[in-house]
Amino acid sequence: HTFILSGSEKSQIWQTIEKLLVDNQVEVREHAAGVLASLMRGIDKDLSKDFRNRSYAQAQRILDMRRR
């Protein structure tokens, strides 16, 4: 079965998962990571690419700050 979601609904799901990936509870982060893996495989490729690019840029900023 497939859900039919609008672009704004898809975006809202991605934003929620992104917030849950940095939750204080490790179990929440683990489940969010599982959902993220499913999203990366199945939903809108543009949202997936956008997430990857933003995550990579954020990781680069963190590494740059640590190197200073």
Side-chain angles (χ1 to χ4, degrees):
H1 299 333
T2 303
F3 293 103
I4 298 175
L5 302 169
S6 69
S8 64
E9 290 170 326
K10 291 178 193 177
S11 181
Q12 186 177 11
I13 291 170
W14 277 92
Q15 291 171 3
T16 301
I17 294 303
E18 286 183 56
K19 290 177 187 173
L20 293 174
L21 287 170
V22 294
D23 192 88
N24 290 333
Q25 294 182 340
V26 67
E27 296 88 358
V28 173
R29 293 191 308 263
E30 288 174 347
H31 285 289
V35 172
L36 175 64
S38 296
L39 290 175
M40 297 289 283
R41 277 186 253 120
I43 288 190
D44 194 321
K45 293 190 187 309
D46 291 332
L47 288 172
S48 178
K49 184 178 180 180
D50 181 52
F51 172 79
R52 263 194 319 274
N53 291 341
R54 282 186 286 112
S55 297
Y56 182 78
Q58 183 178 7
Q60 282 298 120
R61 283 192 300 273
I62 291 169
L63 285 174
D64 290 344
M65 287 183 351
R66 287 184 179 174
R67 289 180 183 154
R68 290 180 192 168

